[in-house]
Short mmCIF file of all heavy atoms in Angstrom, two decimals:
data_model
loop_
_atom_site.label_atom_id
_atom_site.label_comp_id
_atom_site.label_asym_id
_atom_site.label_seq_id
_atom_site.Cartn_x
_atom_site.Cartn_y
_atom_site.Cartn_z
N MET U 773 179.96 190.96 146.39
CA MET U 773 178.51 190.98 146.42
C MET U 773 177.96 189.98 145.41
O MET U 773 178.57 189.73 144.39
CB MET U 773 177.98 192.36 146.07
CG MET U 773 178.13 193.38 147.13
SD MET U 773 177.13 194.81 146.69
CE MET U 773 178.05 196.06 147.51
N THR U 774 176.79 189.55 145.70
CA THR U 774 176.18 188.60 144.78
C THR U 774 175.39 189.35 143.72
O THR U 774 175.08 190.53 143.86
CB THR U 774 175.25 187.64 145.53
OG1 THR U 774 174.18 188.39 146.08
CG2 THR U 774 175.97 186.92 146.65
N ILE U 775 175.06 188.67 142.69
CA ILE U 775 174.27 189.24 141.60
C ILE U 775 172.92 189.70 142.12
O ILE U 775 172.41 190.77 141.74
CB ILE U 775 174.09 188.20 140.47
CG1 ILE U 775 175.44 187.86 139.84
CG2 ILE U 775 173.11 188.70 139.42
CD1 ILE U 775 176.09 189.01 139.12
N LYS U 776 172.33 188.91 143.02
CA LYS U 776 171.02 189.24 143.58
C LYS U 776 171.07 190.59 144.32
O LYS U 776 170.18 191.43 144.17
CB LYS U 776 170.59 188.14 144.53
CG LYS U 776 169.18 188.20 145.00
CD LYS U 776 168.90 186.98 145.88
CE LYS U 776 167.45 186.80 146.15
NZ LYS U 776 167.18 185.64 146.99
N THR U 777 172.11 190.82 145.09
CA THR U 777 172.26 192.08 145.83
C THR U 777 172.47 193.25 144.87
O THR U 777 171.90 194.33 145.06
CB THR U 777 173.45 191.97 146.80
OG1 THR U 777 173.26 190.85 147.66
CG2 THR U 777 173.59 193.23 147.64
N LEU U 778 173.27 193.05 143.86
CA LEU U 778 173.52 194.11 142.88
C LEU U 778 172.24 194.48 142.12
O LEU U 778 171.96 195.66 141.90
CB LEU U 778 174.61 193.68 141.90
CG LEU U 778 176.02 193.62 142.48
CD1 LEU U 778 176.97 193.02 141.45
CD2 LEU U 778 176.48 194.99 142.90
N LEU U 779 171.46 193.50 141.72
CA LEU U 779 170.22 193.76 141.00
C LEU U 779 169.20 194.47 141.90
O LEU U 779 168.49 195.38 141.45
CB LEU U 779 169.63 192.47 140.46
CG LEU U 779 170.42 191.83 139.31
CD1 LEU U 779 169.80 190.48 138.93
CD2 LEU U 779 170.47 192.75 138.12
N THR U 780 169.13 194.08 143.17
CA THR U 780 168.22 194.74 144.10
C THR U 780 168.62 196.19 144.31
O THR U 780 167.77 197.09 144.30
CB THR U 780 168.21 194.00 145.46
OG1 THR U 780 167.83 192.64 145.23
CG2 THR U 780 167.27 194.66 146.44
N THR U 781 169.90 196.44 144.48
CA THR U 781 170.40 197.81 144.65
C THR U 781 170.11 198.65 143.41
O THR U 781 169.67 199.81 143.53
CB THR U 781 171.91 197.79 144.92
OG1 THR U 781 172.16 196.97 146.07
CG2 THR U 781 172.44 199.19 145.16
N ALA U 782 170.32 198.10 142.25
CA ALA U 782 170.05 198.83 141.01
C ALA U 782 168.56 199.14 140.87
O ALA U 782 168.18 200.26 140.50
CB ALA U 782 170.53 198.02 139.80
N ALA U 783 167.71 198.19 141.22
CA ALA U 783 166.27 198.41 141.11
C ALA U 783 165.81 199.49 142.08
O ALA U 783 164.99 200.35 141.73
CB ALA U 783 165.52 197.11 141.38
N LEU U 784 166.31 199.48 143.29
CA LEU U 784 165.94 200.51 144.26
C LEU U 784 166.45 201.89 143.85
O LEU U 784 165.76 202.89 144.04
CB LEU U 784 166.47 200.13 145.65
CG LEU U 784 165.79 198.95 146.32
CD1 LEU U 784 166.49 198.59 147.62
CD2 LEU U 784 164.33 199.24 146.57
N THR U 785 167.62 201.94 143.29
CA THR U 785 168.17 203.22 142.83
C THR U 785 167.34 203.79 141.69
O THR U 785 167.01 204.98 141.68
CB THR U 785 169.64 203.04 142.36
OG1 THR U 785 170.39 202.51 143.45
CG2 THR U 785 170.23 204.34 141.90
N ILE U 786 166.97 202.96 140.75
CA ILE U 786 166.15 203.41 139.62
C ILE U 786 164.76 203.84 140.10
O ILE U 786 164.22 204.86 139.67
CB ILE U 786 166.05 202.31 138.55
CG1 ILE U 786 167.41 202.13 137.88
CG2 ILE U 786 164.98 202.62 137.52
CD1 ILE U 786 167.51 200.93 136.98
N ALA U 787 164.18 203.10 141.04
CA ALA U 787 162.85 203.45 141.57
C ALA U 787 162.89 204.79 142.29
O ALA U 787 161.99 205.63 142.14
CB ALA U 787 162.36 202.35 142.50
N THR U 788 163.93 205.03 143.06
CA THR U 788 164.07 206.30 143.79
C THR U 788 164.25 207.45 142.82
O THR U 788 163.64 208.51 142.97
CB THR U 788 165.26 206.23 144.76
OG1 THR U 788 165.06 205.14 145.65
CG2 THR U 788 165.39 207.50 145.56
N ALA U 789 165.09 207.27 141.82
CA ALA U 789 165.33 208.33 140.84
C ALA U 789 164.06 208.64 140.05
O ALA U 789 163.74 209.81 139.80
CB ALA U 789 166.45 207.92 139.89
N THR U 790 163.31 207.63 139.70
CA THR U 790 162.06 207.82 138.96
C THR U 790 161.03 208.55 139.81
O THR U 790 160.36 209.47 139.34
CB THR U 790 161.49 206.47 138.49
OG1 THR U 790 162.48 205.81 137.71
CG2 THR U 790 160.24 206.65 137.67
N ALA U 791 160.91 208.19 141.07
CA ALA U 791 159.95 208.83 141.96
C ALA U 791 160.33 210.29 142.19
O ALA U 791 159.46 211.17 142.23
CB ALA U 791 159.89 208.09 143.28
N THR U 792 161.61 210.57 142.33
CA THR U 792 162.07 211.95 142.53
C THR U 792 161.78 212.79 141.29
O THR U 792 161.31 213.92 141.40
CB THR U 792 163.58 211.96 142.83
OG1 THR U 792 163.82 211.18 143.99
CG2 THR U 792 164.07 213.37 143.07
N PHE U 793 162.03 212.25 140.13
CA PHE U 793 161.77 212.97 138.89
C PHE U 793 160.28 213.23 138.70
O PHE U 793 159.86 214.31 138.31
CB PHE U 793 162.31 212.19 137.69
CG PHE U 793 162.04 212.84 136.37
CD1 PHE U 793 162.74 213.97 135.98
CD2 PHE U 793 161.06 212.35 135.52
CE1 PHE U 793 162.48 214.59 134.77
CE2 PHE U 793 160.80 212.95 134.31
CZ PHE U 793 161.52 214.08 133.93
N ALA U 794 159.44 212.25 139.01
CA ALA U 794 158.00 212.39 138.83
C ALA U 794 157.40 213.41 139.81
O ALA U 794 156.44 214.10 139.48
CB ALA U 794 157.32 211.04 139.03
N ALA U 795 157.98 213.53 140.98
CA ALA U 795 157.47 214.47 141.99
C ALA U 795 157.88 215.90 141.68
O ALA U 795 157.38 216.83 142.30
CB ALA U 795 157.96 214.07 143.36
N CYS U 796 158.76 216.09 140.74
CA CYS U 796 159.29 217.42 140.46
C CYS U 796 158.62 218.04 139.23
O CYS U 796 159.26 218.68 138.43
CB CYS U 796 160.80 217.33 140.25
SG CYS U 796 161.61 218.92 140.23
N GLY U 797 157.34 217.86 139.08
CA GLY U 797 156.63 218.42 137.93
C GLY U 797 156.03 219.77 138.24
O GLY U 797 156.08 220.28 139.35
N GLY U 798 155.44 220.39 137.26
CA GLY U 798 154.73 221.65 137.47
C GLY U 798 155.59 222.88 137.45
O GLY U 798 155.20 223.91 137.99
N HIS U 799 156.76 222.80 136.84
CA HIS U 799 157.63 223.96 136.79
C HIS U 799 157.60 224.65 135.43
O HIS U 799 158.52 225.36 135.07
CB HIS U 799 159.07 223.56 137.12
CG HIS U 799 159.24 223.05 138.50
ND1 HIS U 799 159.20 223.85 139.59
CD2 HIS U 799 159.44 221.80 138.97
CE1 HIS U 799 159.37 223.13 140.68
NE2 HIS U 799 159.51 221.88 140.32
N GLU U 800 156.55 224.41 134.70
CA GLU U 800 156.49 224.97 133.35
C GLU U 800 156.28 226.48 133.35
O GLU U 800 156.69 227.17 132.43
CB GLU U 800 155.35 224.32 132.55
CG GLU U 800 155.60 222.88 132.21
CD GLU U 800 155.24 221.94 133.34
OE1 GLU U 800 154.46 222.34 134.23
OE2 GLU U 800 155.74 220.82 133.36
N GLN U 801 155.63 226.99 134.38
CA GLN U 801 155.31 228.42 134.39
C GLN U 801 155.95 229.06 135.61
O GLN U 801 155.67 228.69 136.74
CB GLN U 801 153.79 228.62 134.42
CG GLN U 801 153.40 230.08 134.36
CD GLN U 801 151.89 230.26 134.31
OE1 GLN U 801 151.15 229.28 134.34
NE2 GLN U 801 151.45 231.47 134.25
N ALA U 802 156.80 230.03 135.38
CA ALA U 802 157.43 230.76 136.47
C ALA U 802 156.59 231.98 136.81
O ALA U 802 155.83 232.49 135.99
CB ALA U 802 158.82 231.20 136.05
N SER U 803 156.71 232.43 138.03
CA SER U 803 155.98 233.62 138.42
C SER U 803 156.98 234.69 138.84
O SER U 803 158.06 234.38 139.32
CB SER U 803 155.01 233.33 139.57
OG SER U 803 155.73 232.90 140.69
N MET U 804 156.60 235.93 138.65
CA MET U 804 157.48 237.04 139.00
C MET U 804 156.75 237.95 139.97
O MET U 804 155.56 238.20 139.81
CB MET U 804 157.87 237.81 137.74
CG MET U 804 158.81 238.95 138.00
SD MET U 804 159.38 239.63 136.44
CE MET U 804 160.33 240.99 137.04
N THR U 805 157.45 238.44 140.95
CA THR U 805 156.87 239.35 141.93
C THR U 805 157.40 240.75 141.65
O THR U 805 158.61 240.95 141.56
CB THR U 805 157.25 238.93 143.35
OG1 THR U 805 156.83 237.60 143.56
CG2 THR U 805 156.61 239.83 144.38
N CYS U 806 156.49 241.69 141.51
CA CYS U 806 156.87 243.08 141.29
C CYS U 806 156.70 243.88 142.58
O CYS U 806 155.94 243.50 143.47
CB CYS U 806 156.00 243.70 140.19
SG CYS U 806 156.25 242.93 138.57
N ALA U 807 157.40 244.98 142.65
CA ALA U 807 157.32 245.85 143.82
C ALA U 807 155.94 246.49 143.90
O ALA U 807 155.18 246.52 142.93
CB ALA U 807 158.39 246.94 143.73
N ALA U 808 155.62 247.03 145.07
CA ALA U 808 154.34 247.70 145.28
C ALA U 808 154.21 248.86 144.30
O ALA U 808 155.18 249.60 144.06
CB ALA U 808 154.24 248.20 146.71
N GLY U 809 153.05 249.01 143.71
CA GLY U 809 152.82 250.08 142.74
C GLY U 809 153.20 249.73 141.32
O GLY U 809 153.15 250.56 140.43
N THR U 810 153.59 248.48 141.09
CA THR U 810 153.93 248.04 139.74
C THR U 810 153.21 246.74 139.44
O THR U 810 152.79 246.02 140.34
CB THR U 810 155.45 247.82 139.58
OG1 THR U 810 155.87 246.79 140.49
CG2 THR U 810 156.23 249.09 139.85
N VAL U 811 153.06 246.45 138.16
CA VAL U 811 152.47 245.19 137.71
C VAL U 811 153.36 244.57 136.65
O VAL U 811 154.11 245.26 135.96
CB VAL U 811 151.04 245.39 137.12
CG1 VAL U 811 150.08 245.86 138.20
CG2 VAL U 811 151.05 246.36 135.97
N TYR U 812 153.27 243.26 136.53
CA TYR U 812 154.09 242.54 135.56
C TYR U 812 153.51 242.68 134.16
O TYR U 812 152.32 242.48 133.94
CB TYR U 812 154.17 241.07 135.94
CG TYR U 812 155.04 240.27 134.99
CD1 TYR U 812 156.41 240.45 134.96
CD2 TYR U 812 154.48 239.34 134.14
CE1 TYR U 812 157.20 239.72 134.10
CE2 TYR U 812 155.25 238.61 133.27
CZ TYR U 812 156.62 238.80 133.25
OH TYR U 812 157.39 238.08 132.39
N ASP U 813 154.36 243.03 133.20
CA ASP U 813 153.97 243.14 131.79
C ASP U 813 154.59 241.95 131.05
O ASP U 813 155.80 241.89 130.87
CB ASP U 813 154.45 244.47 131.21
CG ASP U 813 154.05 244.65 129.75
OD1 ASP U 813 153.23 243.87 129.25
OD2 ASP U 813 154.56 245.60 129.12
N ALA U 814 153.75 241.00 130.65
CA ALA U 814 154.24 239.78 130.00
C ALA U 814 154.86 240.05 128.64
O ALA U 814 155.74 239.31 128.20
CB ALA U 814 153.10 238.78 129.86
N ASP U 815 154.44 241.11 127.97
CA ASP U 815 154.99 241.41 126.64
C ASP U 815 156.47 241.80 126.71
O ASP U 815 157.27 241.43 125.85
CB ASP U 815 154.19 242.55 125.98
CG ASP U 815 152.77 242.13 125.67
OD1 ASP U 815 152.53 240.92 125.47
OD2 ASP U 815 151.90 243.01 125.63
N THR U 816 156.82 242.58 127.73
CA THR U 816 158.22 243.05 127.86
C THR U 816 158.98 242.32 128.95
O THR U 816 160.18 242.55 129.11
CB THR U 816 158.23 244.55 128.17
OG1 THR U 816 157.57 244.77 129.41
CG2 THR U 816 157.59 245.37 127.07
N ASN U 817 158.30 241.44 129.69
CA ASN U 817 158.92 240.70 130.79
C ASN U 817 159.53 241.63 131.83
O ASN U 817 160.60 241.36 132.37
CB ASN U 817 159.97 239.70 130.28
CG ASN U 817 159.37 238.60 129.48
OD1 ASN U 817 158.25 238.16 129.75
ND2 ASN U 817 160.08 238.13 128.48
N THR U 818 158.86 242.73 132.12
CA THR U 818 159.32 243.68 133.12
C THR U 818 158.15 244.12 133.99
O THR U 818 157.00 243.85 133.67
CB THR U 818 159.93 244.93 132.47
OG1 THR U 818 158.94 245.55 131.65
CG2 THR U 818 161.16 244.59 131.63
N CYS U 819 158.46 244.84 135.06
CA CYS U 819 157.42 245.43 135.90
C CYS U 819 157.20 246.86 135.44
O CYS U 819 158.13 247.61 135.22
CB CYS U 819 157.87 245.41 137.36
SG CYS U 819 158.00 243.75 138.02
N LYS U 820 155.94 247.22 135.27
CA LYS U 820 155.56 248.57 134.84
C LYS U 820 154.88 249.29 135.98
O LYS U 820 154.12 248.71 136.74
CB LYS U 820 154.60 248.52 133.64
CG LYS U 820 155.15 247.82 132.42
CD LYS U 820 156.16 248.69 131.72
CE LYS U 820 156.62 248.01 130.44
NZ LYS U 820 157.44 248.83 129.63
N VAL U 821 155.12 250.59 136.08
CA VAL U 821 154.49 251.41 137.11
C VAL U 821 153.02 251.60 136.79
O VAL U 821 152.66 251.86 135.65
CB VAL U 821 155.20 252.79 137.19
CG1 VAL U 821 154.50 253.69 138.20
CG2 VAL U 821 156.67 252.62 137.53
N VAL U 822 152.18 251.40 137.81
CA VAL U 822 150.74 251.57 137.65
C VAL U 822 150.45 253.06 137.80
O VAL U 822 150.82 253.68 138.77
CB VAL U 822 149.97 250.77 138.72
CG1 VAL U 822 148.48 251.01 138.57
CG2 VAL U 822 150.29 249.30 138.62
N SER U 823 149.77 253.62 136.81
CA SER U 823 149.41 255.04 136.89
C SER U 823 147.90 255.19 136.97
O SER U 823 147.16 254.51 136.28
CB SER U 823 149.93 255.80 135.67
OG SER U 823 149.39 255.27 134.48
N GLY U 824 147.49 256.11 137.85
CA GLY U 824 146.08 256.47 137.98
C GLY U 824 145.25 255.41 138.51
O GLY U 824 144.19 255.09 138.48
#
């Protein structure tokens, strides 16, 4: 392969990797689903039964 082909391949690979990484944002906050009749308690990181 020529240098020109290698440089083009490297540039495309880096551009694809950068675009993939940039599109994968927004994962800072996870959400948890609790069963019916319970709510999430952030202090204990568990689901608590709702009373009354």
